[in-house]
Amino acid sequence: MLKGNVIITQGTITIRANRIDFKQNPDNSLSATAYGNPLAFRQKRDGLDAYDEGWAQRAVYDGSKDQLELFDNAILRRGTDEIRSNYIS
């Protein structure tokens, strides 16, 4: 577990949070649960010079699936498009 002003980067994704708990998956990839008020993430889009970014109270990143789930007051922004929900995957 890391606490404080935590910043983690894996590949093109960066997550900034107050606390991040880690776990190693059976395939040796890393998964993490991040908490913030709010936390923030940013990821470069494949093949483009553009980024997806989002905010939430909690995020779960599954490294074996390369999947990020946002929970509670979640916002996802892609270019000028924006989605707000209690859950975004």
Side-chain angles (χ1 to χ4, degrees):
M1 172 181 19
L2 298 173
K3 290 177 92 174
N5 186 18
V6 181
I7 301 170
I8 62 167
T9 301
Q10 182 166 337
T12 64
I13 189 168
T14 299
I15 300 173
R16 298 171 184 270
N18 296 337
R19 183 179 112 208
I20 300 179
D21 299 332
F22 296 95
K23 121 180 156 173
Q24 188 152 1
N25 298 319
D27 66 357
N28 287 329
S29 65
L30 192 63
S31 289
T33 301
Y35 303 89
N37 195 21
L39 63 87
F41 90 91
R42 186 173 191 206
Q43 183 172 28
K44 187 171 185 330
R45 294 179 59 190
D46 289 338
L48 300 173
D49 190 24
Y51 290 85
D52 291 338
E53 40 187 3
W55 302 266
Q57 300 300 305
R58 179 171 57 100
V60 177
Y61 174 72
D62 185 336
S64 64
K65 297 178 184 175
D66 194 28
Q67 178 180 358
L68 181 68
E69 296 175 291
L70 303 174
F71 298 88
D72 305 321
N73 299 318
I75 301 169
L76 176 64
R77 186 177 299 149
R78 176 178 275 182
T80 59
D81 295 332
E82 185 174 284
I83 297 170
R84 293 172 179 260
S85 180
N86 278 325
Y87 172 77
I88 300 172
S89 174

